[in-house]
Amino acid sequence: MRAPQLAVPAYFHPEREAHAWAVLTGRATAVGLVVVNPCSGAGDGTDTTYRTLCAGPWRSAIAGYVDTAYATRAVADVVGEALAYRRHYGIDAVFADQVTSGAAHLGYYRELTARLRSTGCARVVLNPGTVPDPGYLELADIVVTFEDTAEAYARPLPPAPAGPAAICHLVHDAPAATHRAVLAR
């Protein structure tokens, strides 16, 4: 089992919110995943600030945000957006959000992850935000099995199913007094 690392949905601009990026950079050795979302997705053009950021030391940790709309968005559109991240920013990892958690849509996510990998996607993160059907852990490199507040995180959590994927918890609205407990868990 590898040591836990921080995952940060960095939905803030590296230039306009340079202080937040400086704080993140200060924790760089503890960060294993940084999700960027330049324009509610990759966008149509290239933001040079993101391009510079993605070419730097963060490159291996960065994943581009794509929305699957709970398996209602066409697989080709999601893959196309992942390829736009590669063209614009050199990002070859994908953070797929709004992922279903039940077995009914496993076929959609099986096709999506296979197509992403066939295009050279280095890392696939699926975010159902809750414990999904075990089949999801067979598809991705990382699966988000918790996404909620620090208050909700303090309650007992259902166990995650076993599988080859790493497990990720995204905890938000954590007051400073809870940071150590959240990180320890």
Side-chain angles (χ1 to χ4, degrees):
M1 179 180 213
R2 65 181 168 199
Q5 293 185 301
L6 293 175
V8 180
Y11 303 158
F12 43 89
H13 194 275
E15 189 173 68
R16 290 188 298 271
E17 299 184 57
H19 173 73
W21 275 97
V23 170
L24 184 57
T25 300
R27 300 284 314 230
T29 58
V31 177
L33 176 65
V34 176
V35 183
V36 296
N37 191 5
C39 192
S40 294
D44 294 329
T46 302
D47 180 322
T48 56
T49 305
Y50 275 104
R51 182 142 187 93
T52 301
L53 175 81
C54 294
W58 286 109
R59 188 182 187 315
S60 65
I62 291 178
Y65 177 95
V66 295
D67 183 358
T68 70
Y70 299 106
T72 63
R73 189 172 179 206
V75 168
D77 292 345
V78 177
V79 172
E81 189 165 7
L83 291 172
Y85 273 107
R86 188 172 305 144
R87 279 191 315 276
H88 298 314
Y89 305 110
I91 297 172
D92 61 0
V94 173
F95 180 89
D97 199 19
Q98 296 196 61
V99 171
T100 62
S101 60
H105 293 107
L106 271 171
Y108 173 92
Y109 291 103
R110 188 173 293 112
E111 178 185 353
L112 174 63
T113 56
R115 297 226 359 233
L116 288 168
R117 293 191 194 288
S118 75
T119 67
C121 185
R123 184 162 58 158
V124 176
V125 182
L126 296 178
N127 180 20
T130 190
V131 175
D133 179 279
Y136 288 83
L137 279 84
E138 301 294 327
L139 303 176
D141 300 293
I142 301 171
V143 176
V144 178
T145 63
F146 178 90
E147 182 178 9
D148 206 336
T149 65
E151 181 181 345
Y153 199 59
R155 295 183 215 128
L157 299 176
I167 299 299
C168 178
H169 294 168
L170 294 178
V171 182
H172 57 83
D173 297 321
T178 66
H179 287 180
R180 286 192 192 275
V182 167
L183 289 171
R185 187 165 190 194

